[in-house]
Amino acid sequence: MENQEFQLKTGLAEMLKGGVIMDVTDAEQARIAEQSGACAVMALERVPADIRREGGVARMASIRKIREIMRAVTIPVMAKCRIGHFTEARILEALGVDYIDESEVLTPADEAYHVDKHAFKVPFVCGARNLGEALRRIAEGAAMIRTKGEAGTGDVVHAVRHMRAIMAEIRQLSVLPAEELYGHAKQLQAPLPLVQQVARAGKLPVPNFSAGGIATPADAALVMQLGAEAVFVGSGIFKSDDPAARAHAIVRATTHYQNPDVLLECCEDLGEAMRGTEAAALKPEEQLQSRGW
Amino acid sequence: MRIGILALQGDFAAHARMLERLGLRLDPRAGQAPSPGDHYAWVRQGEDLQGLDGLILPGGESTTQLHLLRRQNMTDQLREYAASHCVFGTCAGAILQAMRVIHPRQESLGTLDIEIERNAYGRQIDSFAASGQWREKLLPPSAAPAPEMIFIRAPRILTCGPEVEVLARLDQEPVLVRQGRQLAATFHPELTTNPRLHQLFLNMVHDSLNPGRREAGLLA
């Protein structure tokens, strides 16, 4: 894990810490995000809330669109490929995006395998619901983990569940005697060396961000308090009344997540948040988080 | 000694790990008994600058950091602080310190007489690690290994004013510079396990607190 190329990959994630990565669908939104303090943008064809509503096959965004967004801003630009679609990933790498999100928000291209991310020079971020899933993705070469949450709902409950699960499982590993780690690696379905590394360090070997349903400054501060090192906001910004004001407020709340006085200021004069969908009301087959293995 | 780390956005935790390697501890919270020894503290608001002997400006996204500084009216406070104290900026931090920023033009503190170009080597795919050439005075060849230079979407120093001393170069171009109490690197020593540049900065801070004791910045 300690090789130089991997250090460069996680290095960019280190630079994004304490920041907000925002979903954008065109150059205009990308500029608003940058001016509101986003530390990176995710270039998309449709935000998750629209993918959820409109249905159909969700694929890598059009190259023209991603390029337009790359030209519009100076901050890093990420883009999504379908789970297991290593050719989409190669195309995004050739295009020069700064990070690839192998994302459950898009329709999976492979029912068994994720992309071999070690084979790429561009770094990858992947979603996870628990420690085992996070470590499987890291074993495949992911240089950043984010909670899956439940994208496009504006309901933070699953992001909270996933962050709590990951942090609790890490804490649990850190107190186990060495001989019990072998059995736990089997339970986690994760490689033993990674399990031992987490047990020793008390944290993931790559930055651990949060995503999936974050819609308000308070949501962002909540997941930061639970251990997230940065925040992805998808539909929450550009599906709200006043995207620029909300984007700025979420950026500020992510920085000052431990300061209730600043958080109070962040929540004033914000307009309506996205309406959202209660995640508990979704049928199992409507959940995006169960994609990925 | 008390060192602040600007903790608005970026890899401030990596700088803290370096300072911990050098024996500094996180500042005890207000109300607790002070503990002996050297400390570091997070800087998130203007008032956090009080009582700091030096300040680290971490890597991260300079546009985001600048946005937060402006919205909190911290830019002038930081400029004022930097004018009279030791400041160490890496990557985005160096962009904040620079007199002029291009590609694109943006505001900065202007405390270090350099012109700097953002994202000058390209996108993430062009990020790289290198060994560079160090000033012998700074790192004699006989000394322990020099830190690796990690460049991530890095800026490039285009010009240096007459008072700027170049401490390290990569392919003839300056990548580590010092002017008075300002130290700036376009790479990320905080992402390595080698704390020598942070030690250099602590020496600078130490010398600024004890003027006239020895030439600033030489490594012990």
Side-chain angles (χ1 to χ4, degrees):
Chain A
M1 293 310 280
E2 286 310 310
N3 66 57
Q4 208 167 69
E5 189 158 306
F6 198 69
Q7 200 175 25
L8 293 173
K9 289 175 172 179
T10 55
L12 180 56
E14 293 287 333
M15 297 311 138
L16 300 175
K17 282 185 177 177
V20 181
I21 300 143
M22 301 182 191
D23 278 4
V24 298
T25 58
D26 58 37
E28 178 58 23
Q29 289 186 357
R31 275 189 286 267
I32 292 172
E34 184 178 48
Q35 283 157 15
S36 306
C39 66
V41 292
M42 177 76 71
L44 285 170
E45 197 83 38
R46 297 178 285 171
V47 294
D50 289 335
I51 292 174
R52 191 175 282 290
R53 191 165 48 85
E54 292 163 14
V57 178
R59 311 181 177 92
M60 171 181 81
S62 83
I63 298 304
R64 194 164 49 114
K65 180 136 282 178
I66 301 171
R67 194 172 266 144
E68 166 193 325
I69 290 165
M70 287 167 68
R71 285 197 184 120
V73 294
T74 62
I75 54 179
V77 175
M78 304 185 180
K80 289 182 194 288
C81 76
R82 284 179 265 177
I83 289 175
H85 206 315
F86 54 86
T87 308
E88 280 187 350
R90 281 289 176 217
I91 293 166
L92 291 173
E93 182 179 52
L95 177 61
V97 301
D98 296 295
Y99 240 95
I100 296 176
D101 184 1
E102 185 183 17
S103 177
E104 70 282 1
V105 167
L106 305 185
T107 311
D110 194 309
E111 294 172 312
Y113 303 108
H114 284 248
V115 173
D116 172 16
K117 294 165 275 285
H118 288 296
F120 289 75
K121 189 163 185 244
V122 63
F124 280 75
V125 50
C126 288
R129 289 164 295 178
N130 51 50
L131 182 60
E133 198 173 8
L135 294 182
R136 287 195 291 281
R137 297 294 85 78
I138 294 167
E140 294 157 358
M144 181 202 299
I145 291 296
R146 56 169 176 77
T147 59
K148 284 179 165 175
E150 191 51 39
T153 59
D155 187 345
V156 78
V157 66
H158 289 269
V160 168
R161 180 193 291 171
H162 299 160
M163 187 54 74
R164 278 204 185 273
I166 291 170
M167 300 308 281
E169 288 172 293
I170 291 174
R171 281 192 295 270
Q172 191 190 2
L173 276 192
S174 68
V175 296
L176 288 182
E179 71 272 17
E180 292 185 15
L181 292 177
Y182 300 93
H184 269 266
K186 219 180 292 177
Q187 271 178 31
L188 289 169
Q189 298 178 51
L192 177 65
L194 282 176
V195 171
Q196 289 167 326
Q197 196 181 341
V198 170
R200 219 172 23 244
K203 62 190 191 64
L204 289 183
V206 304
N208 180 16
F209 291 11
S210 189
I214 294 156
T216 69
D219 289 348
L222 175 66
V223 292
M224 290 294 286
Q225 290 272 8
L226 292 173
E229 296 175 298
V231 173
F232 284 82
V233 183
S235 320
I237 288 171
F238 290 99
K239 286 286 169 194
S240 74
D241 269 3
D242 185 350
R246 182 160 295 266
H248 166 67
I250 293 178
V251 167
R252 197 149 173 246
T254 302
T255 294
H256 297 282
Y257 68 95
Q258 290 165 309
N259 185 334
D261 296 327
V262 179
L263 293 178
L264 171 63
E265 284 173 30
C266 293
C267 295
E268 309 238 24
D269 304 323
L270 262 193
E272 285 286 310
M274 72 180 280
R275 185 172 161 75
T277 312
E278 190 189 341
L282 295 175
K283 300 189 194 92
E285 65 271 21
E286 291 172 332
Q287 286 193 357
L288 301 175
Q289 60 182 274
S290 50
R291 297 165 163 184
W293 3 95
Chain B
M1 191 190 290
R2 205 159 158 271
I3 304 294
I5 306 176
L6 187 69
L8 295 176
Q9 190 276 325
D11 71 338
F12 44 87
H15 280 282
R17 279 196 294 277
M18 278 289 153
L19 295 183
E20 285 180 2
R21 274 173 183 271
L22 296 171
L24 281 75
R25 294 288 164 261
L26 183 60
D27 214 27
R29 282 162 198 276
Q32 284 182 340
S35 63
D38 297 329
H39 294 96
Y40 66 89
W42 304 123
V43 175
R44 294 198 169 93
Q45 308 191 78
E47 64 240 40
D48 297 336
L49 289 167
Q50 278 170 21
L52 296 179
D53 302 313
L55 178 67
I56 292 177
L57 303 176
E61 277 308 312
S62 63
T63 49
T64 303
Q65 296 177 357
L66 203 55
H67 174 82
L68 287 161
L69 286 173
R70 278 186 192 141
R71 290 293 186 111
Q72 291 170 211
N73 300 316
M74 256 180 91
T75 324
D76 284 337
Q77 279 168 292
L78 210 52
R79 197 172 277 137
E80 201 173 301
Y81 179 88
S84 56
H85 290 83
C86 289
V87 177
F88 180 20
T90 62
C91 196
I95 295 172
L96 286 185
Q97 287 170 290
M99 196 71 82
R100 285 170 306 279
V101 182
I102 66 163
H103 189 233
R105 275 189 194 285
Q106 70 184 30
E107 192 191 348
S108 58
L109 303 176
T111 48
L112 178 58
D113 191 9
I114 56 172
E115 181 178 41
I116 202 163
E117 179 188 6
R118 289 183 56 209
N119 298 332
Y121 298 90
R123 307 193 70 95
Q124 170 62 13
I125 199 102
D126 307 301
S127 292
F128 62 100
S131 47
Q133 302 92 42
W134 300 80
R135 270 280 291 276
E136 213 165 280
K137 182 180 106 176
L138 183 71
L139 290 172
S142 58
E148 192 180 29
M149 296 174 176
I150 298 174
F151 294 86
I152 294 176
R153 287 172 48 95
R156 182 181 254 147
I157 297 172
L158 301 177
T159 58
C160 294
E163 285 165 31
V164 176
E165 188 186 3
V166 178
L167 299 180
R169 294 179 186 272
L170 179 72
D171 300 333
Q172 306 310 316
E173 292 173 356
V175 292
L176 175 69
V177 296
R178 184 173 63 178
Q179 179 186 8
R181 292 177 172 177
Q182 305 288 309
L183 178 69
T186 58
F187 55 96
H188 293 285
E190 72 277 15
L191 294 184
T192 70
T193 51
N194 186 332
R196 296 188 68 186
L197 288 188
H198 288 76
Q199 182 63 60
L200 169 72
F201 179 62
L202 295 187
N203 292 353
M204 282 171 60
V205 174
H206 186 266
D207 292 352
S208 73
L209 299 175
N210 303 277
R213 282 189 49 186
R214 64 184 164 112
E215 190 188 350
L218 280 173
L219 283 173

